[in-house]
Amino acid sequence: MFLIENYSLAVAFCFITMLCWGSWANTQKLASQKWNFQLFYWDYSIGVVLISLLLALTMGSYGEHGRGFIQDITSANSSAIMSAFIGGVIFNIANILLVIAIDITGMAVAFPVGIGLALVIGVIDNYIKDPSADPFLIFTGVLLIVLAILLNAIAYKRLPNQQSGSSKGIIIALIAGVSMGFFYGFVADAMATNLITPELGKLTPYSAVVVFALGIMLSNFIFNTINMYKPLSGEAVSYADYIHKGTTKLHLIGILGGAIWGVGMAFNIIASEVASPAVSYGLGQGATMIAAFWGVVIWKEFQDAPKGTNKLLNLMFLLFIVGLGLVVYSKL
């Protein structure tokens, strides 16, 4: 299977993760103009599963090192499979809440609040398990990211015509962030520590991501079904709506969104052995900055904000960039 063997390439993969995780929600914004976000989320989940299988059967099955996907998944013990699966379930709860928050408040707010908080919790959780990075640098970087989140919330409060229920959206984003901060550790615990000669019973990154994706898809029948019939935001929808209202274009947009996110997840997990889970996850969750950029620049979510708001947003971006830089440098 394909493995990363140096820190520079690992960081490059984490940057790809950051771009993917920060950009997939654009597909939700595109689809939500004609398609309820609960229905979009089914296609998103399908996209995550399909891309994880594709990567496992290609990058995860060819090469000189490690085990191929089929051999790996059939030799894994139940505890490793369960750990990766639980990671998918926890992520799914958090991501559905994040999608709801995006629907209420927009990308420029939901991502920095929700994913920024997830970054802080995830870095701390993964650092406790693998304290291989410089603690002063990594936690200083985390502190700057927290300040960036606060600036984003302040900027949002300056908007003259906030959407109805915006406070509710921020609270949902916070709950999503707390939940999302813990999913990564379960996936990391399921994986072998030496990927060149992986120990028997543990999963390689590609297999772990497939099991994780199945955790998302199967738990969707519980969590997204509840979200469809008893929504926290928007109108209730049914499975009949998914069948009758969906067009090929709308389904493909959702699948594309899931595939984009899934590539980011796979690349992040592949990089985690060299970069360490704390650095890999922390840098990947720099997606907050990418999503905020899309929300501010492309979707114009702050175009009606009063004078001076742009200074707050620019400072937010600066703090995110410096904070992420410290997270990366903490491992060097």
Side-chain angles (χ1 to χ4, degrees):
M1 62 181 174
F2 173 80
L3 296 177
I4 293 175
E5 299 182 24
N6 65 79
Y7 186 64
S8 297
L9 184 58
V11 169
F13 266 52
C14 290
F15 268 101
I16 294 173
T17 295
M18 183 172 67
L19 292 172
C20 290
W21 283 358
S23 300
W24 72 265
N26 286 300
T27 59
Q28 180 194 342
K29 295 281 285 188
L30 288 171
S32 64
Q33 298 171 12
K34 297 181 179 180
W35 190 230
N36 298 78
F37 65 89
Q38 300 100 315
L39 304 178
F40 160 87
Y41 199 76
W42 280 109
D43 294 323
Y44 167 89
S45 302
I46 293 169
V48 175
V49 173
L50 290 178
I51 197 66
S52 68
L53 285 171
L54 178 63
L55 292 174
L57 293 171
T58 53
M59 293 174 65
S61 297
Y62 298 97
E64 299 178 357
H65 302 303
R67 291 188 294 262
F69 168 63
I70 301 299
Q71 180 189 1
D72 188 59
I73 199 72
T74 54
S75 64
N77 59 41
S78 58
S79 62
I81 291 175
M82 184 57 66
S83 185
F85 187 87
I86 290 172
V89 173
I90 294 173
F91 169 82
N92 200 33
I93 296 171
N95 207 44
I96 287 175
L97 291 173
L98 179 65
V99 169
I100 294 170
I102 291 171
D103 189 64
I104 297 173
T105 65
M107 287 176 63
V109 174
F111 256 86
V113 172
I115 304 302
L117 181 58
L119 185 156
V120 173
I121 295 172
V123 167
I124 294 172
D125 180 51
N126 286 291
Y127 181 82
I128 291 172
K129 296 174 180 177
D130 181 10
S132 58
D134 183 284
F136 175 78
L137 291 177
I138 196 168
F139 288 116
T140 300
V142 167
L143 177 61
L144 293 179
I145 291 167
V146 170
L147 293 175
I149 295 170
L150 294 175
L151 285 176
N152 182 263
I154 293 170
Y156 183 67
K157 286 296 184 182
R158 291 168 62 93
L159 287 175
N161 297 309
Q162 295 181 35
Q163 292 172 270
S164 175
S166 58
S167 297
K168 174 183 173 182
I170 291 176
I171 292 172
I172 292 173
L174 288 171
I175 297 172
V178 172
S179 303
M180 195 166 287
F182 292 103
F183 86 86
Y184 195 90
F186 283 92
V187 184
D189 288 343
M191 295 196 319
T193 54
N194 185 343
L195 297 181
I196 296 178
T197 54
E199 56 264 41
L200 193 63
K202 290 287 190 177
L203 294 167
T204 61
Y206 301 94
S207 302
V209 172
V210 169
V211 176
F212 167 85
L214 291 175
I216 295 174
M217 189 68 206
L218 294 178
S219 65
N220 226 21
F221 286 96
I222 298 174
F223 303 127
N224 201 35
T225 299
I226 295 172
N227 187 33
M228 288 168 63
Y229 290 93
K230 298 290 183 180
L232 291 173
S233 173
E235 60 183 16
V237 293
S238 66
Y239 285 103
D241 291 325
Y242 180 82
I243 296 171
H244 297 301
K245 292 183 179 180
T247 64
T248 300
K249 180 179 179 181
L250 287 172
H251 288 308
L252 288 176
I253 289 174
I255 291 171
L256 175 63
I260 290 171
W261 191 92
V263 168
M265 178 63 181
F267 278 27
N268 195 266
I269 288 291
I270 294 167
S272 65
E273 184 193 27
V274 174
S276 87
V279 172
S280 184
Y281 181 76
L283 182 55
Q285 291 292 34
T288 50
M289 182 180 64
I290 304 299
F293 172 83
W294 286 113
V296 172
V297 177
I298 305 300
W299 298 105
K300 308 295 183 184
E301 293 173 353
F302 280 85
Q303 64 181 348
D304 297 325
K307 186 177 180 180
T309 304
N310 284 339
K311 292 181 180 178
L312 289 174
L313 294 172
N314 290 336
L315 183 56
M316 176 197 74
F317 284 123
L318 177 62
L319 290 175
F320 260 123
I321 292 170
V322 175
L324 288 173
L326 290 175
V327 170
V328 173
Y329 191 69
S330 67
K331 180 68 176 180
L332 288 176

